[in-house]
Amino acid sequence: MVSLSWRTAVTTATAAFASVASAQTWTACNPTQRTDCPPNTALGMAIDVDFTQGAVNSFNPYGGTPSYSRNDGVSFTVAKSGDSPQLTSIFYIMFGRVEITMKAAPGNGIVSSVVLQSDDLDEIDFEWLGADNTYVQTNFFFQGKTASYDRGQFNPAPNSQGQFIKYTIDWTSEKISWYVGGTLVRVLTVNDAGGQYPQSPMQVKFGAWSGGDSANSPGTIQWAHGPTDYSQGPFSMTVKSVMVSDYSTGKSYRYGDTSGTWQSIIAEGGKVNGNLGKAGTVTVTASAVAATGTGSAGGSVPVGGIGSASGDASGSNGGSGSSTHGSIPEGWVMKPDGKIVPVGAASAMARPPQGLLVATSLVTVALAAFVGCLA
């Protein structure tokens, strides 16, 4: 059970942090304010990524460089001020399910985050504080509105830093369910949300950052149980695998008007909720392009989740805004293992189009070799 002192600290941090989060939450093009925003690349299927096999080019790194291990998967390490490594999907889902198997990072002030976030700043998340090895915080936001911070909850997650645990967010037009190790720990219905229900296409982001960094606001540092003592680090969050299932179909998702309601979302070449009921239907287990590396209520959870590489690492600033996405170019397709490859047999000289960002330079080289093998 959460102690009174912990709840008091969270309440105090809420007041100090609210104005900062509201002022710094941003998006490159907010479809509730503009009508010329580009469409969101749709996943439109289910993928299952095994990071013990290395990086995949459907997730881009930001805020630092994740490292990969055949034993544990991908690690997000905070070693110094400004570190906030994360992976962000180049695709969006329009309702869906995300299952991530991971260990949270230890350390006072260190925050591990799994965030679903849309261009109009709807958000659903998990947050783990490094000072607490027994709980995970769950939260949601609608269109970046942070007038109140009464949506967060503390949910049991024993030994979250010492063992790999599967965490699940299941998001439909009717409810959001959060699971820890297969146990349902929270349900939010549309009615429960009081008109603040997240319902627009979302990217998937995960990584670690330092809420306890001295550059942050006092409220953020207190919420994260900082300050962070980097001499006790480095501090690492580790993700073994992630399964993402899009409950809708199509090539892209477009806002039909500025309301941000799910009924206004247009699935180009498909249908909103066209995949509903097919969660986890994946025919291929992930095998990355190449291995790249080395051996209870009242929570004041920052909107935006993962911190940035510079400035306030509250996760509510520009570094984690909804502008960090690429696209799947014409003639390329997403495979069920999270790899993006050319359609059919490509020539040995084929390269990903300029607009496609791959996760690492090594993946770029490996992808070129892979395409050559298809010739």
Side-chain angles (χ1 to χ4, degrees), residues 331-362:
W332 293 68
V333 294
M334 175 82 74
K335 292 181 61 182
D337 56 5
K339 294 186 292 185
I340 300 171
V341 299
V343 175
S347 71
M349 298 301 293
R351 294 292 188 273
Q354 186 64 33
L356 177 61
L357 301 178
V358 294
T360 66
S361 59
L362 182 56

Side-chain angles (χ1 to χ4, degrees), residues 51-55 66-71 73 290-295 360 362-363:
F51 287 113
T52 67
Q53 300 301 303
S67 60
Y68 292 82
S69 161
R70 289 195 176 276
N71 292 325
T292 61
T294 57
T360 66
L362 182 56
V363 173

Side-chain angles (χ1 to χ4, degrees), residues 242-325:
V242 63
M243 189 282 288
V244 185
S245 182
D246 192 348
Y247 286 169
S248 299
T249 58
K251 181 178 180 180
S252 62
Y253 301 126
R254 180 169 57 86
Y255 290 72
D257 56 36
T258 58
S259 67
T261 63
W262 75 265
Q263 293 91 342
S264 72
I265 303 300
I266 299 169
E268 303 283 3
K271 180 181 179 181
V272 173
N273 285 327
N275 276 334
L276 189 63
K278 299 179 182 178
T281 304
V282 180
T283 57
V284 179
T285 301
S287 175
V289 175
T292 61
T294 57
S296 304
S300 168
V301 182
V303 64
I306 302 170
S308 72
S310 61
D312 188 311
S314 64
S316 58
N317 62 5
S320 61
S322 293
S323 63
T324 53
H325 59 86

Side-chain angles (χ1 to χ4, degrees), residues 141-158:
F141 292 92
F142 174 72
Q143 296 185 359
K145 296 176 182 178
T146 56
S148 65
Y149 279 82
D150 57 354
R151 305 163 189 169
Q153 287 190 5
F154 294 91
N155 305 110

